């Protein structure tokens, strides 16, 4: 076994995934980044994390909606780092619409990226983890893996499914040193969310502070965003020896949202 572990973090070119990639690299793990975006921006993130942490960081642009691409991602990681010890299933998209109007192509894409990709990546990496008697699977679900909101039928369905996958894989890995846990964030301040604040303020004729408190964070009792780095820190903890008995859980990081 190498001293450091090797991790794949899907959807790590932005937001929560990018913070998780950085946190894992800071903890000394080699990281395979993944996700879409401008090639030069992605390379800048990759190089910055590698330089600032001293951990090897690579990138593969697999489309997580495509099982063949997911197999290529695993092969590329094994070719670069030798093995895959940690899988963070983070890539995700959202569409908000009443179910009767929900675009079927968006439903299919949400299920493929937010749900099936986690199943495929686990399917393709589990045997190696079991054989080496060590593995960590961290699924970035959502508070919407535990409770629902209207107009998010596909997302809520996919995230609940991810919690079910987490429990099943935890049972399958339990005697092999492989843990599986879901992190269930509430509202996290990512570039995606930040971009919505000025638009919503304009549309509703309210201040940006009111958008944050009364619209975005209406269900989040702390009335403040979860920070991406907090999800990164929990991921690092779940990959540490201290967390070896934590498996099959769905851990809310939601400012009290699911305590309602
Ligand atoms: P984001 O839009 O900032 O990042 C999403 C990432 O997924 C990007 O890197 C993007 O390129 C990648 N991605 C999208 N489609 C992909 C595909 N087909 N193949 C590969 N990569 C793809 O979003 P975020 O807010 O950082 O969300 C990350 C995860 O956290 C998602 O699973 C999301 O559901 C979950 N989450 C987010 C929040 C929040 O408030 N932001 C709350 C709970 C859960």
């Amino acid at each position: 076994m190498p001293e450091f572990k090797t991790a794949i973090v899907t959807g790590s070119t932005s937001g929560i995934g990018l913070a998780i990639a950085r946190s894992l690299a800071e903890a000394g793990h080699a990281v395979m980044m993944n996700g879409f975006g401008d090639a030069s921006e992605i390379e800048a993130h990759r190089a910055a994390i590698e330089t600032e942490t001293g951990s090897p960081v690579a990138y593969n642009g697999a489309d997580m909606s495509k099982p063949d691409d997911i197999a290529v991602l695993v092969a590329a990681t094994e070719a670069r780092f030798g093995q895959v010890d940690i899988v963070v299933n983070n890539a995700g998209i959202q569409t908000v619409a009443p179910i009767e109007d929900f675009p079927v192509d968006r439903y299919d894409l949400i299920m493929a990226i937010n749900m099936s990709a986690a199943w495929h990546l686990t399917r393709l990496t589990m045997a190696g983890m079991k054989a080496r008697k060590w593995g960590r699977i961290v699924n970035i679900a959502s508070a919407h893996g535990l409770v629902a909101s209207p107009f998010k039928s596909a997302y809520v369905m996919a995230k609940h499914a991810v919690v079910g996958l987490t429990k099943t894989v935890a049972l399958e890995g339990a005697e092999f040193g492989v843990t599986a846990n879901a992190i269930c964030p509430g509202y996290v301040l990512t570039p995606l969310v930040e971009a919505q604040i000025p638009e919503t303020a304009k549309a509703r004729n309210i201040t940006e502070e009111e958008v944050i408190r009364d619209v975005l964070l209406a269900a989040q009792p702390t009335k403040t965003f979860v920070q991406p780095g907090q999800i990164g820190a929990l991921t690092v903890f779940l990959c540490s020896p201290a967390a070896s008995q934590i498996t099959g859980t769905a851990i809310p990081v939601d400012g009290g949202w699911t305590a309602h």
Side-chain angles (χ1 to χ4, degrees):
M1 289 282 278
E3 270 180 36
F4 56 79
K5 305 295 185 187
T6 61
I8 295 175
V9 185
T10 71
S12 48
T13 54
S14 170
I16 295 169
L18 182 59
I20 292 171
R22 176 172 283 278
S23 295
L24 287 171
E26 281 171 353
H29 304 302
V31 177
M32 177 62 82
M33 294 175 65
N34 158 262
F36 296 155
D38 177 77
S40 58
E41 276 178 32
I42 293 170
E43 173 53 21
H45 284 306
R46 188 208 64 76
I49 296 174
E50 188 169 67
T51 307
E52 288 161 28
T53 66
S55 295
V57 180
Y59 166 75
N60 180 279
D63 180 341
M64 295 306 293
S65 71
K66 299 190 171 134
D68 290 350
D69 272 29
I70 299 172
V72 171
L73 170 63
V74 172
T77 310
E78 288 173 344
R80 178 73 166 75
F81 297 135
Q83 61 195 51
V84 182
D85 303 310
I86 298 167
V87 163
V88 182
N89 287 302
N90 167 79
I93 59 167
Q94 174 66 289
T95 293
V96 181
I99 192 166
E100 61 271 31
D101 300 329
F102 211 97
V104 173
D105 59 341
R106 290 297 294 180
Y107 168 83
D108 288 339
L109 202 54
I110 288 172
M111 299 314 278
I113 298 169
N114 296 18
M115 184 187 77
S116 297
W119 185 84
H120 285 296
L121 188 51
T122 304
R123 173 178 66 81
L124 292 166
T125 53
M126 189 72 175
M129 291 185 196
K130 283 169 75 174
R132 291 185 297 273
K133 296 268 192 282
W134 199 95
R136 293 286 183 271
I137 296 161
V138 180
N139 295 324
I140 307 306
S142 169
H144 285 122
L146 303 171
V147 296
S149 295
F151 314 127
K152 296 183 176 177
S153 54
Y155 186 88
V156 170
M157 186 173 164
K159 294 297 187 181
H160 274 69
V162 164
V163 171
L165 170 69
T166 304
K167 292 177 186 174
T168 309
V169 172
L171 297 178
E172 293 189 25
E175 292 184 58
F176 298 90
V178 179
T179 71
N181 292 284
I183 297 178
C184 298
Y187 244 109
V188 186
L189 194 53
T190 64
L192 199 80
V193 174
E194 278 177 287
Q196 296 169 24
I197 296 171
E199 287 169 24
T200 309
K202 205 173 163 197
R204 292 179 179 238
N205 196 25
I206 55 178
T207 66
E208 295 195 8
E209 290 69 32
E210 285 167 336
V211 170
I212 291 170
R213 193 190 62 234
D214 301 334
V215 181
L216 297 180
L217 298 178
Q220 196 150 303
T222 54
K223 301 294 181 200
T224 51
F225 287 105
V226 177
Q227 298 299 315
Q230 296 176 321
I231 307 299
L234 179 54
T235 302
V236 168
F237 175 72
L238 288 172
C239 295
S240 74
S244 66
Q245 290 293 333
I246 301 175
T247 194
T249 68
I251 305 173
V253 184
D254 64 2
W257 177 347
T258 52
H260 276 299

